[in-house]
Amino acid sequence: MEAFDQPWKTDIEGAVGAYWGVYDVERNPKFEFTQPIVPVPQWQLLAGISMVLALITFALLLIDSKTLRGHGRSFLAIVSYLAATTIVWIIYEYSSLYQTIGTIIIGLLMLVGMIGIFLVIMAEAHEWAEALWIKERRRYMKTIPMAEHDLPMVSIHVPAYNEPSTMLIRTLNALAKLDYPNYEVLLIDNNTKDPAVWQPVQAHCEKLGERFRFFHKDPLAGFKAGALNFSLQQTSADAEIVAVIDSDYIVDPRWLRDLMPQFSDPKVAIVQAPQDYSDGCQNAFKAMCYSEYAGFFYIGMMTRNERNAIIQHGTMTMVRKQVLEQVGGWAEWCITEDAELGLRIFEQGYEAHYIPHSYGRGVMPDTFIDDTKQRFRWAYGAVQILKHHARCLFSRRDCRLNAGQRYHFIAGWLPWFADGFNLLFNLAAIGWSLAMIWAPKQIDPPMLLFSLLPVALFLFKTAKLIYIYKSRIGASTLQTLLGGLAGLALAHTISRAVLQGIFTKGLPFIRTPKHAGQTGLRTVIASAREEILLLIALWLAVYAIVTIQGAESADTLFWLAVLLIQSITYLAAVIVAIVAAMPGWSARLIGIREIERPEKLLSNIENI
């Protein structure tokens, strides 16, 4: 202990060397010499600020929460208080340091990151509570009786580009078996060069009869959206509903008959069934992907449906033709034209219904490369949508979105933006670690509290995944872990897509191949080369810090934990890439079965 703090000692003794004094650098006593010493003299003020911040956060989370049970409210209250207390504690601890220009800049950057983590945790906690602890569903999918002659005519559009003819023929055969009196099928093949690919499909359409019409257009601009807009122009004048399915989907015969009566309500413009897949047990890689997809379709979409805020996805969707034409058709500037159309329709004040019941099954990407391309397109398209619709999402002018819809579209994509900034954090963490290695006396690890935040976010999201997957969608422990691993493996892809989406205007549509040939191990690992490099960099940083500085202090120990935790997403990508390269790894061999949906999932469906 010394008489006064001496900040100059930081250069030779590290951060601790500046704080040995009984008096601070301004010659003010650090504590009362005549009273008991307490670690935090201002604890009452800090506790009060924490309570106020927690109450504000809790109140915001409870807006429009009339169906939330007491357990859900208690859960949100606890999370709000813990998060608010942590933020106040971190700010207090950091403000007690002797500030320089450098520490102020670092503090502001970390404050931004801290707020981002806080928002993500709150959004995740809100979805957790609403997925588990609600009294009843607000928006029931009720069976509506409708006479045969009242069923509207449906135009089913099947866009295709360079798809295997055998697969398309199976799709057409399933459509021919639909139990519905009045429909047409328009298959639009755009830009396929080889006649041997599309001519057998054309011949099969002619064989199926006048209800099926085939179009081959080359060239045709606009990618999938361009093909759908062309199909809209060819649609029968009698059609009232446009339905879209992907070229690999085998539909249930009762798809149209069960769901079409929902359009008897003129306010309903979209009726959406989930994407589902027939190859979830084909191999271990696809089993992992199947489990990961389930989280969106049987958790996220169901909570969004409560506030009329679902994401429209481009297969198993039905749209009122009049509304589709009213809003200008499919957006050819956006590579996720389906989700963009759904938001545009909501902006006009219409409603959408989501039913968590499978009415058709397609195939998943065969390789990790294709899986990452698909997820890149989804994430990049989300940024395009948010940029294009920012005025409507963040203000009430010229827009009929309600508060719940705004919340879900912003909060729903917030974790993807967090992934984007997480990449920047990881690069900064590697840089900071290099500085610690280069100048161990002058550069200390970040404060323990800053290190706690990424760890807390990771643990919170992991706990949510395990708890909700097992209790809400009926996944086994193995399916839950594999689904989580598949999701983590895509985090770097999402981060790149988000950052590119922020700083660029548009990228071409990236098609997901169907029945692509399995690639070799070297090719698949090459698809994760960025993840491999970042994984090695983080692990080398841990090794070097332990070798040079040791791991005795709590700050250093937690910083090492942060580096290791941040490397998990990159390790997951490598593992999933290896699994994808070995299609011989049978799903059943390692004990994976198809997810059996629990009956409570269908609690918002009556008699379907």
Side-chain angles (χ1 to χ4, degrees), residues 407-467:
Y407 166 77
H408 280 292
F409 273 94
I410 295 171
W413 282 324
L414 184 61
W416 280 1
F417 277 82
D419 283 339
F421 289 100
N422 189 59
L423 174 58
L424 299 180
F425 173 84
N426 287 341
L427 295 175
I430 292 171
W432 191 304
S433 299
L434 289 174
M436 290 173 58
I437 297 165
W438 182 263
K441 292 293 185 180
Q442 289 75 34
I443 306 297
D444 291 297
M447 291 176 58
L448 184 148
L449 289 177
F450 282 119
S451 301
L452 279 176
L453 283 174
V455 176
L457 177 60
F458 178 81
L459 294 177
F460 186 86
K461 293 180 71 171
T462 301
K464 176 194 171 189
L465 173 77
I466 295 173
Y467 195 87

Side-chain angles (χ1 to χ4, degrees), residues 23 25 138 142 199-200 207 307 407 414 427 449 478 498:
Y23 295 86
V25 74
R138 310 180 198 185
K142 296 182 179 180
Q199 285 180 349
K207 180 180 177 182
R307 294 182 179 86
Y407 166 77
L414 184 61
L427 295 175
L449 289 177
L478 181 60
V498 167

Side-chain angles (χ1 to χ4, degrees), residues 44-57:
Q44 293 160 316
L45 175 62
L46 298 177
I49 295 173
S50 299
M51 288 296 297
V52 171
L53 182 58
L55 287 173
I56 293 173
T57 304

Side-chain angles (χ1 to χ4, degrees), residues 350-556:
Y350 290 100
E351 293 186 8
H353 280 310
Y354 177 74
I355 176 170
H357 182 80
S358 175
Y359 279 99
R361 293 189 169 195
V363 296
M364 290 177 285
D366 286 312
T367 68
F368 183 62
I369 297 172
D370 295 330
D371 192 29
T372 57
K373 287 180 179 178
Q374 182 187 68
R375 196 57 55 94
F376 185 95
R377 177 170 63 86
W378 292 353
Y380 188 92
V383 180
Q384 283 185 305
I385 293 169
L386 285 173
K387 288 166 63 176
H388 190 82
H389 293 266
R391 179 175 178 178
C392 191
L393 287 168
F394 293 97
S395 72
R396 294 181 177 273
R397 292 180 295 177
D398 305 323
C399 185
R400 299 175 66 180
L401 290 180
N402 60 44
Q405 290 170 326
R406 287 187 174 87
Y407 166 77
H408 280 292
F409 273 94
I410 295 171
W413 282 324
L414 184 61
W416 280 1
F417 277 82
D419 283 339
F421 289 100
N422 189 59
L423 174 58
L424 299 180
F425 173 84
N426 287 341
L427 295 175
I430 292 171
W432 191 304
S433 299
L434 289 174
M436 290 173 58
I437 297 165
W438 182 263
K441 292 293 185 180
Q442 289 75 34
I443 306 297
D444 291 297
M447 291 176 58
L448 184 148
L449 289 177
F450 282 119
S451 301
L452 279 176
L453 283 174
V455 176
L457 177 60
F458 178 81
L459 294 177
F460 186 86
K461 293 180 71 171
T462 301
K464 176 194 171 189
L465 173 77
I466 295 173
Y467 195 87
I468 292 186
Y469 260 62
K470 290 182 66 65
S471 62
R472 192 67 194 134
I473 67 174
S476 67
T477 300
L478 181 60
Q479 287 169 327
T480 299
L481 295 176
L482 293 179
L485 191 66
L488 285 172
L490 295 167
H492 180 67
T493 295
I494 293 170
S495 67
R496 289 193 300 106
V498 167
L499 293 177
Q500 281 190 249
I502 291 173
F503 297 108
T504 61
K505 289 186 177 180
L507 292 176
F509 184 91
I510 304 171
R511 169 181 167 269
T512 303
K514 309 297 191 303
H515 300 299
Q518 293 287 346
T519 57
L521 178 61
R522 292 176 60 185
T523 302
V524 175
I525 294 299
S527 69
R529 58 184 177 275
E530 292 181 8
E531 290 92 330
I532 293 172
L533 291 174
L534 287 166
L535 176 66
I536 293 173
L538 288 167
W539 283 2
L540 286 177
V542 170
Y543 174 78
I545 291 172
V546 171
T547 302
I548 295 173
Q549 289 198 3
E552 287 78 16
S553 73
D555 286 351
T556 302

